Amino acid sequence: MDDNKLLEKYMDKVDADQRSLKEEMREREERIVKITADSEARIDAKLSKIEEILVNQNNVVNAKFEKMEEKFDNSVKDIKDNKIAIWGICIATILSVAGIAYGAIQVFQGFVNLVLPLS
């Protein structure tokens, strides 16, 4: 009987050790789950912040692109206006030169008629 009691005590001790070990494993698992959840929360917060920064940068780039596009459109309009003005100046210059040439021819004819009368 002594052996039975000893064996029973040993079995109780093994059972207690197993319960203790299982409890310790549960506590470790809970700590790991908590650490993992905390890490995921920090990562999610960082990713949200990065996403917010990227969205803000995208908005800034889009605004600058729109300004640049507007300036380009204005430059194209200015170039077209300048082209029209230059054509107008060229036509006016050609007409002026033609008028001056016509006047010079008239003066030359008058001079020729004075110097060399036909009759």
Side-chain angles (χ1 to χ4, degrees), residues 18-33:
Q18 274 189 336
R19 281 191 298 272
S20 173
L21 185 60
K22 283 182 182 179
E23 183 63 31
E24 189 177 312
M25 291 295 282
R26 269 193 285 268
E27 288 173 1
R28 284 183 184 176
E29 186 178 332
E30 288 173 4
R31 280 195 314 254
I32 290 171
V33 167

Side-chain angles (χ1 to χ4, degrees), residues 31-32 49 53 57 62 70 94 100 104 112:
R31 280 195 314 254
I32 290 171
K49 190 173 183 178
I53 289 170
Q57 287 296 322
N62 284 341
E70 183 180 323
I94 290 169
I100 291 170
V112 169

Side-chain angles (χ1 to χ4, degrees), residues 48-74:
S48 294
K49 190 173 183 178
I50 290 170
E51 182 180 4
E52 182 181 324
I53 289 170
L54 289 174
V55 167
N56 288 338
Q57 287 296 322
N58 190 29
N59 290 338
V60 168
V61 168
N62 284 341
K64 287 184 180 183
F65 182 75
E66 287 172 4
K67 283 182 185 178
M68 187 174 63
E69 196 173 45
E70 183 180 323
K71 286 181 181 181
F72 178 76
D73 290 342
N74 289 338

Side-chain angles (χ1 to χ4, degrees), residues 31-42:
R31 280 195 314 254
I32 290 171
V33 167
K34 184 180 182 297
I35 290 170
T36 304
D38 290 346
S39 294
E40 287 176 355
R42 283 194 309 270

